[in-house]
Amino acid sequence: MFESIGWTEILVLGVAGLFILGPERLPDAAAWVGRTVRKVREYATGARDQLKSELGPEYDELRKPLQDLQQLRNLDPKQLVTNHLFGDNDNGVKPNGHAPQPAIPAKPVDPPAVGPQPQSPFDPDAT
């Protein structure tokens, strides 16, 4: 529910509440906020359970498009590129529709022969 709120934001809200409400009313206000959030969660859970019991198996069919939408919402550019580059491709077909080509082993390259090297010309005016 509050995934986007970090600890620094909570700290800023606490300090602001301390200045606005004062130290004597802040604990009561925090307890009221906690009770209210708990009630809202209970109402939402109760409504979901009631809807699930009334719809039965059709509830799963109703939730499927919402779950697909949630998966799309969770994709960010970094995760999209990571999935594209490192994701498992279970059918063996590349995104362009062609099957991947088998890798051709590279020929070993012979190192150059080491021997006496010719002396490079020396130009005293160039230095």
Side-chain angles (χ1 to χ4, degrees), residues 40-56 59 62-63 66-67:
V40 168
R41 283 186 181 173
E42 288 174 6
Y43 291 148
T45 304
R48 184 183 65 227
D49 293 341
Q50 183 180 4
L51 185 64
K52 190 173 186 176
S53 66
E54 288 179 8
L55 288 178
Y59 179 78
L62 181 67
R63 288 243 343 133
L66 296 175
Q67 289 173 347

Side-chain angles (χ1 to χ4, degrees), residues 85-102:
L85 292 176
F86 302 114
D88 293 335
N89 207 359
D90 55 353
N91 59 3
V93 177
K94 295 192 307 187
N96 62 3
H98 297 286
Q101 299 295 324

Side-chain angles (χ1 to χ4, degrees), residues 75 78-88:
L75 284 179
K78 182 178 179 182
Q79 186 178 9
L80 186 68
V81 169
T82 303
N83 288 345
H84 181 72
L85 292 176
F86 302 114
D88 293 335

Side-chain angles (χ1 to χ4, degrees), residues 16 26 30 32 40 56 68 76 85 99 113:
L26 185 62
W32 177 82
V40 168
D68 293 341
D76 59 353
L85 292 176

Side-chain angles (χ1 to χ4, degrees), residues 12 23 33 42 70 80 108 110 118-120 123:
V12 168
V33 167
E42 288 174 6
Q70 185 65 30
L80 186 68
D110 294 331
Q119 185 78 15
S120 55
D123 185 9

